[in-house]
Amino acid sequence: MQFDLQSFLENARVPYKAHFLADLSQADFGGFSLAAPAECDFSATPTADGAALLLCVKAKVDAECARCLEPIHNEYNFEREYLVRQRDVKDPDFELPCHEKGCLDLNELVFQELIFEVPPVLLCSADCQGLCPICGKKKAAGCSCQPADNAAPVDARLSILKQLLS
Ligand SMILES: [Zn+2]
Ligand SMILES: [Zn+2]
């Protein structure tokens, strides 16, 4: 969705409000993805020298635990406020994704804020113990592997060889 920020800054007398869905199912977030479009509320209110923008995002994030690869489904609900002045739109360093005609790309803004909001490494729980290096099962589920006492885990093939030799 696009919001004509430039003309809002120039002409608006009354607040603007919109509810929209940001379909970011194709967006590359790196460590996670969005199964459904993010539900967003956007409002712009004229101020003495510009506008106050408010963006509320509700998104369901799909990811994998970085340690045990268990699927994770987290919901994120957050708000961002921006104060924009007339001259900001023409500023090449303006932090909001604005096209040359002064249109704010709200989908792009939601994408950027999700990147900030969602941690790059997600865990199924803070104390996830990850996978057993011997059997590959989730450690929390409890496997019967005994950690080697004084050495690195013995390779299963090596221990068969040992048995054959003895
Ligand atoms: Zn985990
Ligand atoms: Zn194990």
Side-chain angles (χ1 to χ4, degrees):
M1 187 172 127
Q2 306 283 325
F3 172 66
D4 191 343
L5 181 58
Q6 174 97 48
S7 38
F8 185 85
L9 286 167
E10 283 166 4
N11 310 314
R13 301 271 176 277
V14 291
Y16 168 88
K17 271 188 205 313
H19 178 81
F20 67 101
L21 295 174
D23 182 4
L24 297 168
S25 53
Q26 303 300 316
D28 182 10
F29 288 101
F32 63 92
S33 61
L34 293 197
E39 280 205 48
C40 309
D41 282 292
F42 174 78
S43 72
T45 309
T47 59
D49 62 346
L53 312 180
L54 182 68
L55 177 70
C56 304
V57 178
K58 205 198 265 183
K60 288 197 176 104
V61 164
D62 287 345
E64 271 181 353
C65 172
R67 289 187 196 149
C68 74
L69 308 181
E70 193 91 338
I72 299 176
H73 307 288
N74 281 352
E75 190 165 318
Y76 289 84
N77 224 321
F78 58 92
E79 284 186 10
R80 291 285 190 277
E81 227 182 312
Y82 319 90
L83 289 172
V84 182
R85 293 155 305 176
Q86 286 260 7
R87 61 175 183 276
D88 289 340
V89 179
K90 297 257 154 61
D91 187 337
D93 295 327
F94 187 38
E95 50 170 356
L96 303 181
C98 230
H99 299 316
E100 64 274 24
K101 289 206 172 110
C103 263
L104 190 59
D105 185 337
L106 290 175
N107 281 28
E108 179 65 23
L109 185 59
V110 172
F111 172 77
Q112 288 181 4
E113 295 299 0
L114 274 165
I115 296 264
F116 277 119
E117 183 70 17
V118 181
V121 173
L122 290 160
L123 297 176
C124 61
S125 66
D127 58 353
C128 173
Q129 295 171 41
L131 301 174
C132 167
I134 300 168
C135 71
K137 283 189 193 142
K138 247 190 111 168
K139 272 191 183 164
C143 62
S144 50
C145 303
Q146 297 293 323
D149 283 340
N150 45 16
V154 180
D155 188 307
R157 286 163 304 180
L158 275 183
S159 63
I160 289 170
L161 251 183
K162 249 190 198 161
Q163 280 171 26
L164 288 175
L165 288 171
S166 58

